[in-house]
Structures are given as C-alpha cells and as structure tokens.
Amino acid sequence: MKRYSAFAIAREALRHHEGWERAWRSPEPKARYDVVIVGAGGHGLATAYWLGKNHGITNIAVIEKGWLGGGNTGRNTTIIRSNYLQDPSAAIYEKSRSLYETMSQDLNYNVMFSPRGVMMLAQTQHEVRGYRRTAHANALQGVATEFISPQRVKELCPIMNIDGPRYPVLGALWQPRGGTARHDAVAWGYARACSDMGMDIIQKCEVTGIRREGGKVTAVETTKGEIGCGKLGIVVAGHSGELAEMAGFRLPIESVSLQALVSEPIKPCMDVVVMANTVHGYMSQSDKGEMVIGGGADGFNNYTQRGSFHHIEETVRALVETFPMISRLKMLRQWGGIVDMTGDRSPILSKTPVEGVFVNCGWGTGGFKAIPGSGWAMAELMAKGHAPLADAFSLDRFREGRFIDESVAAGVAH
C-alpha cells in the first residue's frame, strides 16, 4: 500500500497552491445565475463539477456560509466503501467508489485515494448471517465483496485480538477495493476544477431567505445580497431542514452530532479499515500515523461540532478488547460533525414541492464515501429532471412507503 510522508503531502499542497488560491478567493456574486448551489462541501462542489463536465452548465454559483470544505467534508473519517445491502444503495455507492479510483486523474489533483480494503467484523452469529446475506446481494449487484474467516481477518490485521471473551471475531465482510482518501483534497480538487470552468465559489455568504413566485424559486437572499437563480440546489447536510423551511416545505430528517478522534501518531501498524458494529467502533490509520477512531452518532438531536468526554470513553472502551494496543495511546484531538439522518438511513436526492428547488441530504454517517456519485446523480437530476441513480431516493418514497432500509449498513459503519 502506498503511503505519503508529511513532506510529500506538503509538497503536493504547494504544487497546487496557485490553483487552490484561485478557488479559495471568493468573488462578489453576480445578479443572476442559471444554478445556485448552497453548500461548498464535497457534495455541493461535486454537483457543480458534474453539471459543468457532463451537462455543459457553468453559469453556477456555489455559496457557503463558512469556508470551503469546513463542514462535514473536513470532519469525517474518510472511509470509502460500497458494500450495501439494498440495490439502489449499492448502485450509487459503487458508482461513487469507482469515481474515487480515477478522481486524482480526472481533477488533476492528488486526493490520495488508498484502496487499502475495508472489513466489517462479524462478532455475533446474527452478524455472520447478515454479512453472508450482504455478500450474496453484492455478488448480484456486481460489487466485489466476500465473507472471510477469522484466520483471514488476523492475517489482514495482525494487531487485532480475534479471541475476545465477550465478542470474538467470527469472520468479516471484506471489500478489498474500499479504502480512504484525503478529505480536504477532495474539496480542494473539485473547487479548483469548478473555478477553472468559470463557476463562482462564494464563501462567508449565508442564506437568509428563499424567494418564490407562483410556486417557483426566483432568488436566494444572502448576507451578500440577493442572488437570482433559475434552479436552486440545497446541499447543506445537517442544516437541510432549516433551508427547506425557508423554501416553504419540511424534510423528514433529524440532525445529530457524529464524533471522532485521532491518537498520537505511531509507526505503521494497520493498513486496512476495520469496523466493529457490535461494539459501535471503527478504526484506521492515517498517512501521518494517527489512529482514526469513531463510533455511533449521539443519541439526541443537536448541532454541536465539538467532542465530548462520554464519547471518548464509550468508543475507546468498545475497541480496546479487539485492539488491546490502543489502550496505551494518547488522544491527539477530537471533533464532531452535524449529520442529517432519515428514518430509513438512506439519502434524499429529489425534486421538492417548490419548482426549481432540488435537495441532496440525508446521507447520515456515510456522506464522504458518496461524494462523487452523489454529485453525478444530483447534477443529472438538476439538468434533466430525473436521474437513474437518484430516482429511488426521492421524497415520494416516504409518502408511498418505499423505504430503502440501510439501518444496519449505515447505523454505525461509515
């Protein structure tokens, strides 16, 4: 597996400094755009990029109340996988995973994609049955996964204790082409590509209202003035409900904090991503040597982006039995992100009751892995009014009872 030193990362950043600076500076907004996208995170920028590349629409403004990639795109744990059970989920996540493989070449920006492999541990007989079922479903969907033995798990991750007294490892669902990427680089790469196509990325520009006439969107009101638009894309994760209310409709989502932490850097000891859903924890090692650790979302609605002491205890306690070595590590830093959860734990990519307004939200704990596929589908939906990858994820499914239940796949396993 290819690794990058801190010097190589810094050199790569400097190499792209000029283009990144061009994307980082915020122009003054024009009076009107064909498309306005709210949210300059990975999903919003990917939507703008594919609108330009696939559909030739470049009169676009991407507006952001904070800074480029400062929301969940810069706060996640960078896991990329597509081993979902339901067909619509597997389709969009596998599209996304395949786009990650060529993203550095497509954007001419190194996003440091590392297909190191992702394993989801089966630590109960119920999980063994569930993951075998998922492996069979993935085979039908064309997603390369397999259920592997405890011995194979130990070979792939020697630091793991597979004979824990409470939750021994009984096997794992293994996706060898899953992995990680550098989250900031994904946002910067898309931003530079959008800027090169003539799009405006406007930071420190908060939406304060959405104007409508005759049931159709006409403009967004912002802290930098009114911006006219023909179409509006709401791509703001945990704040989607707030913008939907401005537009006059409600979304079936709730916002909670998802926390993560990293240890002090240590020598390479783990070159795969491991998720243990039974104990609510997952871990990988970054290119800098930090152990990246996360768990389940908070059990109550909130908008905090900070960490908490109880999360450290709950998550690390869960992982210490399976990874005894981490008990001796010191925590380096901790943070949180605001995730938007739907009832079936599947996203929403949909038209809305307001003509010209489209929404992309509800990715919950698994948004980073979906960025390129989400942008591809959302761009097609906005350009053509319908997209094969997005059709199953419309708002209509909640009224019609067509739920895409991924509560097991997405509840903890990011």
Side-chain angles (χ1 to χ4, degrees):
M1 183 189 68
K2 187 173 182 180
R3 292 188 175 273
Y4 300 89
S5 66
F7 174 76
I9 294 171
R11 182 179 60 194
E12 190 69 21
L14 286 172
R15 189 168 74 85
H16 294 301
H17 178 75
E18 181 181 350
W20 174 77
E21 279 290 305
R22 186 167 60 253
W24 186 263
R25 287 194 295 268
S26 297
E28 288 301 312
K30 296 187 291 190
R32 182 175 177 80
Y33 294 88
D34 293 336
V35 175
V36 169
I37 294 170
V38 184
H43 290 261
L45 292 166
T47 299
Y49 172 77
W50 291 115
L51 276 169
K53 183 167 184 179
N54 287 352
H55 306 285
I57 302 171
T58 57
N59 184 22
I60 297 175
V62 183
I63 61 177
E64 167 62 47
K65 76 171 185 178
W67 64 93
L68 191 155
N72 291 352
T73 298
R75 297 171 182 270
N76 64 84
T77 51
T78 75
I79 297 172
I80 298 166
R81 65 183 181 88
S82 60
N83 52 349
Y84 280 70
L85 176 63
Q86 306 295 343
D87 290 350
S89 305
I92 195 166
Y93 284 110
E94 178 63 12
K95 176 66 174 179
S96 188
R97 189 206 58 78
S98 66
L99 289 172
Y100 266 116
E101 291 199 329
T102 60
M103 185 182 290
S104 294
Q105 291 76 26
D106 293 340
L107 300 179
N108 190 29
Y109 198 102
N110 187 4
V111 300
M112 302 179 189
F113 175 64
S114 171
R116 61 187 66 187
V118 175
M119 69 170 73
M120 300 169 67
L121 300 182
Q123 294 179 285
T124 65
Q125 289 297 334
H126 174 75
E127 282 190 313
V128 171
R129 290 191 295 270
Y131 287 148
R132 287 188 185 278
R133 178 191 179 198
T134 301
H136 294 319
N138 290 160
L140 294 172
Q141 295 154 351
V143 178
T145 64
E146 61 177 314
F147 188 82
I148 59 176
S149 68
Q151 293 70 34
R152 177 65 173 147
V153 170
K154 184 70 172 178
E155 290 175 10
L156 291 166
C157 188
I159 67 171
M160 191 186 304
N161 172 27
I162 64 172
D163 301 313
R166 290 187 305 163
Y167 298 110
V169 175
L170 306 177
L173 181 63
W174 169 242
Q175 184 172 18
R177 295 302 296 173
T180 62
R182 173 69 180 173
H183 45 31
D184 295 321
V186 172
W188 297 340
Y190 274 129
R192 192 180 72 157
C194 290
S195 181
D196 286 345
M197 284 189 275
M199 302 176 192
D200 288 343
I201 300 170
I202 306 166
Q203 300 169 98
K204 302 294 183 183
C205 181
E206 183 174 357
V207 174
T208 58
I210 297 174
R211 303 198 68 172
R212 293 156 285 154
E213 291 181 10
K216 182 177 181 357
V217 67
T218 59
V220 289
E221 297 171 355
T222 76
T223 52
K224 292 194 175 185
E226 184 176 296
I227 305 174
C229 63
K231 294 180 180 179
L232 175 65
I234 298 175
V235 196
V236 293
H239 293 286
S240 298
E242 296 178 54
L243 266 73
E245 287 190 5
M246 292 181 190
F249 61 92
R250 298 184 65 190
L251 291 172
I253 62 171
E254 56 184 4
S255 296
V256 299
S257 177
L258 178 67
Q259 300 181 39
L261 60 107
V262 295
S263 75
E264 59 188 324
I266 57 176
K267 290 182 179 179
C269 64
M270 180 180 179
D271 61 358
V272 296
V273 179
V274 177
M275 291 178 284
N277 292 2
T278 298
V279 297
H280 280 221
Y282 59 96
M283 188 166 72
S284 62
Q285 188 169 21
S286 74
D287 295 323
K288 294 183 288 185
E290 303 160 348
M291 305 307 293
V292 183
I293 298 170
D298 285 0
F300 51 92
N301 293 354
N302 64 88
Y303 284 90
T304 184
Q305 292 181 306
R306 296 177 296 178
S308 62
F309 289 116
H310 75 86
H311 179 80
I312 303 171
E313 180 180 354
E314 290 173 2
T315 303
V316 175
R317 180 180 60 201
L319 289 171
V320 161
E321 180 182 307
T322 307
F323 298 94
M325 61 160 283
I326 70 171
S327 65
R328 301 188 296 274
L329 293 179
K330 294 185 175 72
M331 187 183 79
L332 183 63
R333 63 185 181 275
Q334 181 190 23
W335 66 92
I338 307 166
V339 298
D340 41 337
M341 312 285 273
T342 60
D344 60 0
R345 297 302 188 260
S346 289
I348 299 170
L349 292 98
S350 180
K351 298 177 182 178
T352 69
V354 179
E355 185 181 348
V357 176
F358 301 80
V359 66
N360 180 347
C361 65
W363 292 98
T365 61
F368 177 75
K369 72 172 76 68
I371 284 174
S374 160
W376 179 289
M378 183 69 169
E380 187 173 2
L381 177 64
M382 294 186 73
K384 298 181 177 179
H386 121 95
L389 284 176
D391 287 346
F393 300 104
S394 71
L395 278 168
D396 292 340
R397 78 177 190 269
F398 297 101
R399 185 178 66 250
E400 299 169 359
R402 295 184 291 102
F403 301 119
I404 306 170
D405 186 7
E406 292 289 1
S407 54
V408 173
V412 176
H414 315 309

